[in-house]
């Protein structure tokens, strides 16, 4: 009993500190208990060292008590320490919305992909794509530096079917011009890969992207690497005699060319869409209440037809572009160079469209799909049908937008401007397509026609970003609006108490 009596003053002095240790953080933050405990503890006399070393405390308790004393002496308040820990925890996790710098970088990368697609089309139109007969991802970054290296590269090209059948009289200087076209194309592809992967690693490491965006960046980076493989797989198809039909013009496989083009367009759309989505989220989050109202308008059931029409239009434009890849791979634009007729009628004879020579099975089970993908006459007809279907759909969407009273009342002004842009690029693309056909595919017109397809698809995606409902952003807006409402109500309550 005597020992217990002598230790009571020490228990009294330690009571606030021990109580604080077993009090939850929410109570400390809301009730201001920590500040009172620190003031009470500072006002009390410090316990004697011999009392601290009493047998009532184990080494573990003594160590905890000493560290608590240091913490209370250095931290201005427990509340500040808790807020510091919360801030540190937030900084160690990924944000809900990616940084704006990520959006600008993605849009810049999309512009670079746009450029390489156009330059790749020029490489094909100038028949430069088969000038480099090897795939050297690292050492191929450096062009031939002396006469001996140039002779070595030229010797490899002279062994290719393209030189033997098309360019047997080509000189070294002429070879250098097509070599540099392909070399720049490949070097540009390497630049896109490096300029995407390295910043992506930086943004993820610095936690400037949301968790879903981090995974999307991984997917786009993988697609860029896969695109390089498809490019060489495509070139390889034009370097061997057994990979194209005997007696035909030496060229790459139309299937592999379309796959290469499709991967490039997919990569471009992924960069463009994610960049636009980040900027849109930041714009809406500036005022969560107003942003929620804007999204509620887009969720109106009466706009469902318009939203679905834009999505279907994006798929239709992409499909039309892929059919154009088949036309380019088969040089199908060099036949039937009139419009709207094809020969004596709107379509060639059915015997020409469904030619049995393209079938490879005895039962002719592959007759229909091989003609659709390998018969130049039917491939051009398919592209015409898809192009006119796309143009007609865009005109119908414009009429629905500006003639329907519901659309005039509900559709946001930005969406109406987007429809104007889609219509303008559709008219330009049809004009370029017909001109390219009538003038026997000149390089400037053909390249402009390819660029027009990218512009049209771009503007359809821009229109989609203005009318499609972003579910994840809507949830973040709801959370932000709710938090702001609670903050305003608590501020009003505290003001009423002061009054």
């Amino acid at each position: 009993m005597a020992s217990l009596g002598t230790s009571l003053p020490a228990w009294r002095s330690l009571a606030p500190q021990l109580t604080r240790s077993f009090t939850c953080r929410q109570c400390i933050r809301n009730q201001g208990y920590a500040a009172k405990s620190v003031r009470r503890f500072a006002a009390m006399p410090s316990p004697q060292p011999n009392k601290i070393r009493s047998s009532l405390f184990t080494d573990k308790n003594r160590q905890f008590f000493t560290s608590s004393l240091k913490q209370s002496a250095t931290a201005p308040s427990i509340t500040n320490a808790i807020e510091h820990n919360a801030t540190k925890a937030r900084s160690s996790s990924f944000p809900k919305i990616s940084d704006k710098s990520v959006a600008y970088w993605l849009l810049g990368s999309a512009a670079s992909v746009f450029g390489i697609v156009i330059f790749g089309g020029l490489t094909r139109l100038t028949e430069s794509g088969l000038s480099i007969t090897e795939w050297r991802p690292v050492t191929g970054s450096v062009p031939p530096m002396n006469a001996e290296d140039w002779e070595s590269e030229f010797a490899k090209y002279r062994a290719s079917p393209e030189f033997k059948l098309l360019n047997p009289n080509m000189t070294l200087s002429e070879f250098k011009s097509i070599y540099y076209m392909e070399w720049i194309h490949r070097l540009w592809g390497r630049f896109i890969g490096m300029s995407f992967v390295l910043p992506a690693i930086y943004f993820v490491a610095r936690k400037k992207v949301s968790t879903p965006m981090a995974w999307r960046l991984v997917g786009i980076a993988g697609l860029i690497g896969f695109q390089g493989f498809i490019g060489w797989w495509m070139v390889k198809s034009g370097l061997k005699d057994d990979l194209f039909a005997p007696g035909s013009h030496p060229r790459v496989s139309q299937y592999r060319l379309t796959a290469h083009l499709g991967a490039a367009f997919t990569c471009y759309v992924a960069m463009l869409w994610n960049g636009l989505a980040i900027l849109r989220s930041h714009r809406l989050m500036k005022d969560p209440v107003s942003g929620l109202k804007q999204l509620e308008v887009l969720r109106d059931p009466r706009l469902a037809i318009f939203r679905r029409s834009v999505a279907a239009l994006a798929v239709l434009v992409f499909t039309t572009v892929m059919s154009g890849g088949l036309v380019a791979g088969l040089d199908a634009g060099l036949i039937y160079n009139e419009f709207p007729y094809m020969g004596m009628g709107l379509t060639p004879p059915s015997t020409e469209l469904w030619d049995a020579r393209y079938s490879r099975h005895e039962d002719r089970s592959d007759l229909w799909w091989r003609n659709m993908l390998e018969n130049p006459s039917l491939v051009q007809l398919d592209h015409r049908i898809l192009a006119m279907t796309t143009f007609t759909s865009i005109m119908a969407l414009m009429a629905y937008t500006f003639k329907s009273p519901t659309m005039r009342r509900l559709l946001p002004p930005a969406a109406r401007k987007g429809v104007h842009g889609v219509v303008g690029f559709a008219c330009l693309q049809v004009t370029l397509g017909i001109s390219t056909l009538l003038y026997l595919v000149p390089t400037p017109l053909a390249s402009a026609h390819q660029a027009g397809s990218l512009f049209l698809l771009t503007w359809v995606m821009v229109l989609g970003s203005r009318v499609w409902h972003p579910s994840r952003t809507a949830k973040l807006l709801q959370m932000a609006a709710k938090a702001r409402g609670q903050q305003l109500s608590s501020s009003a309550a505290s003001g009423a108490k002061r009054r």
Side-chain angles (χ1 to χ4, degrees):
M1 291 297 293
S3 174
L4 181 59
T6 57
S7 60
L8 283 176
W11 278 108
R12 289 195 193 98
S13 62
L14 293 174
Q17 188 71 16
L18 294 174
T19 306
R20 184 188 61 182
S21 304
F22 293 97
T23 304
C24 68
R25 293 185 176 184
Q26 186 176 1
C27 296
I28 291 174
R29 187 183 296 109
N30 295 337
Q31 301 176 10
Y33 179 79
K36 296 179 182 178
S37 300
V38 171
R39 289 196 298 270
R40 190 182 301 128
F41 178 75
M44 288 184 177
S46 300
Q48 299 297 324
N50 59 346
K51 293 180 180 179
I52 296 177
R53 289 193 295 269
S54 174
S55 59
L56 293 173
F57 299 99
T58 63
D59 292 338
K60 185 176 181 181
N61 290 334
R62 189 183 302 115
Q63 210 172 41
F64 169 77
F65 177 68
T66 305
S67 63
S68 299
L69 287 174
K70 292 180 180 179
Q71 182 180 0
S72 63
T74 55
S77 68
I78 302 301
T79 305
N80 291 343
I82 293 173
E83 291 178 353
H84 174 73
N85 292 334
T87 303
K88 186 177 179 181
R90 284 194 300 269
S91 64
S92 64
S93 60
F94 287 94
K96 296 296 183 182
I97 300 178
S98 301
D99 193 82
K100 270 188 176 182
S101 59
V102 179
Y104 297 135
W105 162 69
L106 281 171
L107 293 178
S109 299
S112 187
V113 173
F114 188 106
I116 197 175
V117 170
I118 304 306
F119 193 82
L122 287 172
T123 303
R124 184 193 60 79
L125 290 167
T126 56
E127 297 183 343
S128 305
L130 299 178
S131 58
I132 302 179
T133 59
E134 294 177 334
W135 189 39
R136 296 172 294 178
V138 179
T139 58
S141 301
V142 180
M145 303 302 293
N146 51 53
E148 183 180 355
D149 293 340
W150 277 114
E151 286 294 339
S152 175
E153 291 296 327
F154 193 28
K156 296 172 185 176
Y157 177 69
R158 287 198 298 268
S160 67
E162 184 178 72
F163 178 86
K164 295 177 181 178
L165 298 176
L166 293 180
N167 303 317
N169 299 319
M170 177 177 283
T171 63
L172 180 60
S173 60
E174 293 172 339
F175 169 72
K176 287 182 179 180
S177 64
I178 65 171
Y179 183 96
Y180 274 121
M181 286 285 292
E182 175 65 11
W183 178 77
I184 293 173
H185 182 62
R186 296 192 185 190
L187 189 66
W188 196 338
R190 293 183 181 98
F191 169 77
I192 290 176
M194 296 298 293
S195 64
F196 188 88
V197 172
L198 295 181
I201 294 173
Y202 169 79
F203 286 129
V204 173
R206 295 297 300 271
K207 295 181 173 58
K208 290 183 176 291
V209 296
S210 62
T211 302
M213 185 59 64
W215 286 110
R216 293 175 193 175
L217 296 183
V218 172
I220 296 174
L223 181 59
I224 292 174
F226 185 60
Q227 173 73 335
F229 169 77
I230 294 179
W232 169 245
W233 182 58
M234 175 191 67
V235 171
K236 190 178 179 180
S237 65
L239 298 176
K240 295 184 178 180
D241 297 322
D242 57 346
L243 292 181
F244 54 88
S248 65
H249 181 82
R251 56 174 172 255
V252 299
S253 167
Q254 74 273 18
Y255 298 112
R256 302 186 188 187
L257 174 65
T258 305
H260 189 53
L261 182 66
F265 268 67
T266 302
C267 188
Y268 171 77
V269 168
M271 293 174 178
L272 175 69
W273 174 253
N274 285 291
L276 293 174
I278 294 173
L279 293 179
R280 185 188 190 191
S281 297
H282 278 278
R283 186 171 59 253
L284 293 173
M285 290 295 290
K286 285 183 179 179
D287 188 353
V289 177
S290 175
L292 276 176
K293 291 180 180 179
Q294 295 179 34
L295 295 187
E296 284 300 321
V297 172
L298 296 180
R299 291 190 65 182
D300 194 304
R302 289 171 291 183
L303 289 178
I305 295 177
F306 186 88
R307 293 195 304 269
R308 293 169 186 167
S309 299
V310 175
L313 185 60
V315 175
L316 187 57
V317 171
F318 185 85
T319 305
T320 305
V321 173
M322 294 304 101
S323 71
L326 291 174
V327 172
L330 292 170
D331 290 331
L334 297 176
I335 59 175
Y336 293 114
N337 298 102
E338 58 265 346
F339 188 86
Y341 294 100
M342 296 181 71
M344 301 301 295
L346 292 175
T347 65
S350 59
T351 54
E352 181 180 346
L353 295 177
W354 306 104
D355 196 333
R357 292 178 299 173
Y358 292 95
S359 177
R360 300 181 185 177
H361 295 166
E362 293 183 359
D363 58 355
R364 303 287 189 242
S365 59
D366 60 341
L367 177 67
W368 66 274
W369 69 264
R370 284 198 179 276
N371 273 276
M372 290 187 67
L373 300 177
E374 298 178 5
N375 185 342
S377 299
L378 186 54
V379 166
Q380 188 192 124
L381 177 62
D382 290 341
H383 185 61
R384 289 189 182 205
I385 293 174
L386 284 170
M388 297 312 299
T389 302
T390 302
F391 181 76
T392 304
S393 300
I394 292 173
M395 294 299 108
L397 182 65
M398 182 187 68
Y400 178 64
T401 300
F402 297 105
K403 296 297 182 181
S404 170
T406 304
M407 291 298 103
R408 290 202 304 267
R409 185 174 64 256
L410 294 179
L411 202 62
R416 288 196 290 271
K417 292 179 181 178
V419 173
H420 279 297
V422 171
V423 171
F425 280 114
C427 294
L428 177 63
Q429 180 67 348
V430 168
T431 303
L432 289 172
I434 295 175
S435 300
T436 302
L437 189 68
L438 295 178
Y439 288 97
L440 297 175
V441 196
T443 298
L445 279 177
S447 182
H449 184 52
Q450 187 174 19
S453 66
L454 266 174
F455 277 120
L456 178 58
L457 183 59
T458 299
W459 209 253
V460 172
M461 299 306 297
V462 170
L463 175 60
S465 71
R466 296 176 179 179
V467 297
W468 294 330
H469 185 269
S471 57
R472 185 173 182 273
T473 302
K475 292 179 182 178
L476 294 177
L477 285 171
Q478 291 174 355
M479 294 170 59
K482 185 177 180 181
R484 179 171 292 186
Q486 292 176 350
Q487 183 181 4
L488 293 176
S489 61
S490 62
S491 300
S494 62
K497 287 181 180 178
R498 285 195 297 270
R499 289 194 298 268

